[in-house]
Amino acid sequence: GRLALKGLRVGLFDWELDKGEHRLRLGHLFPNPLPEIWYVRCSHPLCREADRLRRVVKEYNLEFIVFDSVGYACDGPPEGAEQAMRYFQSLRTLGQVGSLHIAHVRGAQEGGDLRPFGSVFWANSARSTWNIKPASREAEEGRLQVALHHRKYNMTGRMRSVGFEL
């Protein structure tokens, strides 16, 4: 939303919810003005959606895309290295566009939040990974505090953790 309000052309490629649900959530985060974000519902793995999504990127001249969620965009179990590699190969066919890929982490295991769930290639293929966690277990009604931790960095040094209140 913030990128769109700064003038970037942003898209949301979604495998989980629907346009109405995302519109409602966006309105809660940005009541006025509502940022313009191009929503695309996806129902097949990224490797099968890539041609259609490449056309969307070109038609709307998208500069940044959010992919929600990586596990659902796989063409098989995310634990397999083949799925992670095929996902990133398909992603590269979309052209030079910035992107954010939302993925789940391994829950209760020690260090489970250090990497995305599945094959090590999810972390290895990404240029940078961040982990988002609740800042505390006790939240005020209607407010959520989250902390973002930089877990992997290829092109930059490690960035400091940051917090937000929603």
Side-chain angles (χ1 to χ4, degrees):
R2 288 181 186 236
L3 292 175
L5 290 174
K6 289 183 177 187
L8 268 75
R9 298 177 65 83
V10 177
L12 171 61
F13 295 170
D14 177 44
W15 280 262
E16 287 197 68
L17 301 176
D18 63 30
K19 185 176 187 174
E21 184 69 31
H22 279 292
R23 167 60 182 85
L24 181 65
R25 290 175 174 209
L26 187 63
H28 287 300
L29 293 171
F30 300 94
N32 192 17
L34 187 68
E36 186 172 23
I37 296 178
W38 281 266
Y39 176 88
V40 178
R41 177 71 175 139
C42 300
S43 55
H44 300 289
L46 178 59
C47 61
R48 289 182 44 205
E49 295 272 14
D51 288 339
R52 178 175 74 102
L53 298 177
R54 185 173 39 255
R55 288 190 299 272
V56 169
V57 169
K58 186 174 182 176
E59 180 180 348
Y60 296 105
N61 196 28
L62 298 181
E63 300 169 280
F64 193 87
I65 305 165
V66 177
F67 292 76
D68 187 14
S69 154
V70 166
Y72 293 106
C74 289
D75 64 337
E79 300 89 332
E82 302 84 13
Q83 278 66 255
M85 290 187 284
R86 197 164 21 255
Y87 181 93
F88 282 101
Q89 289 167 342
S90 299
L91 173 65
R92 286 183 186 94
T93 69
L94 300 184
Q96 296 293 323
V97 60
S99 58
L100 168 68
H101 303 263
I102 300 170
H104 297 274
V105 295
R106 295 187 189 276
Q109 292 179 294
E110 186 171 328
D113 63 350
L114 298 179
R115 291 195 178 120
F117 174 79
S119 166
V120 69
F121 283 98
W122 290 111
N124 290 353
S125 299
R127 298 286 181 247
S128 179
T129 63
W130 288 79
N131 175 251
I132 303 172
K133 299 174 85 165
S136 70
R137 294 198 183 271
E138 297 177 26
E140 282 185 46
E141 189 173 323
R143 294 192 179 283
L144 173 65
Q145 293 179 338
V146 294
L148 284 72
H149 306 284
H150 201 197
R151 299 293 192 208
K152 182 196 177 196
Y153 42 94
N154 278 6
M155 311 298 270
T156 65
R158 176 172 282 175
M159 299 174 88
R160 291 188 348 232
S161 294
V162 295
F164 292 95
E165 183 173 82
L166 309 170

